[in-house]
Amino acid sequence: TTGGQAAASTLGAFGEARLEALGNGNQFKADLTRQLDEQLQSGFIDQATYDNKLSQIDNQVMSYQNLSFLGNALVLSGSNYMGWRES
C-alpha cells in the first residue's frame, strides 16, 4: 500500500541519513581540528584562542550533523519512495 511504502521508505531513509550524518560529522570534526592545529603551530592563533575554539567544535559538529541528517533524510525519503513505488 502507499502508506506502507511511505512509512518504510521514510524509516529506511532516517536510518541511512543518521549514519551519513555521523560519518560527515566525524570528518567535519577532524577537518576543523586539523585546521586549528595548523593555526596554532604556525603561530596564527595563541593557545588560549586555540583552547576556546576547540571547546566550540562539538557544538559546530552537532549543528553540522543535524543539517546533514535533515538534508539526507529529505532526499533519501523521496528517492526511496520513488524507487519502491515503481517496484
Side-chain angles (χ1 to χ4, degrees):
T1 67
T2 302
Q5 290 172 341
S9 64
T10 301
L11 291 174
F14 280 6
E16 188 174 349
R18 180 179 178 271
L19 292 175
E20 287 284 333
L22 289 172
N24 291 343
N26 289 339
Q27 184 62 51
F28 184 65
K29 185 174 184 172
D31 292 344
L32 288 177
T33 304
R34 182 182 38 72
Q35 290 172 5
L36 276 179
D37 290 343
E38 290 172 358
Q39 290 175 358
L40 179 64
Q41 291 170 2
S42 69
F44 186 72
I45 59 174
D46 61 15
Q47 186 67 45
T49 303
Y50 174 84
D51 292 340
N52 184 36
K53 288 186 174 197
L54 192 61
S55 71
Q56 296 172 8
I57 283 180
D58 285 335
N59 289 335
Q60 292 174 318
V61 169
M62 185 158 311
S63 294
Y64 183 80
Q65 285 176 323
N66 288 338
L67 288 173
S68 177
F69 173 81
L70 181 60
N72 280 321
L74 290 173
V75 170
L76 291 169
S77 291
S79 66
N80 285 353
Y81 178 73
M82 294 302 289
W84 288 12
R85 188 181 71 173
E86 295 175 6
S87 58

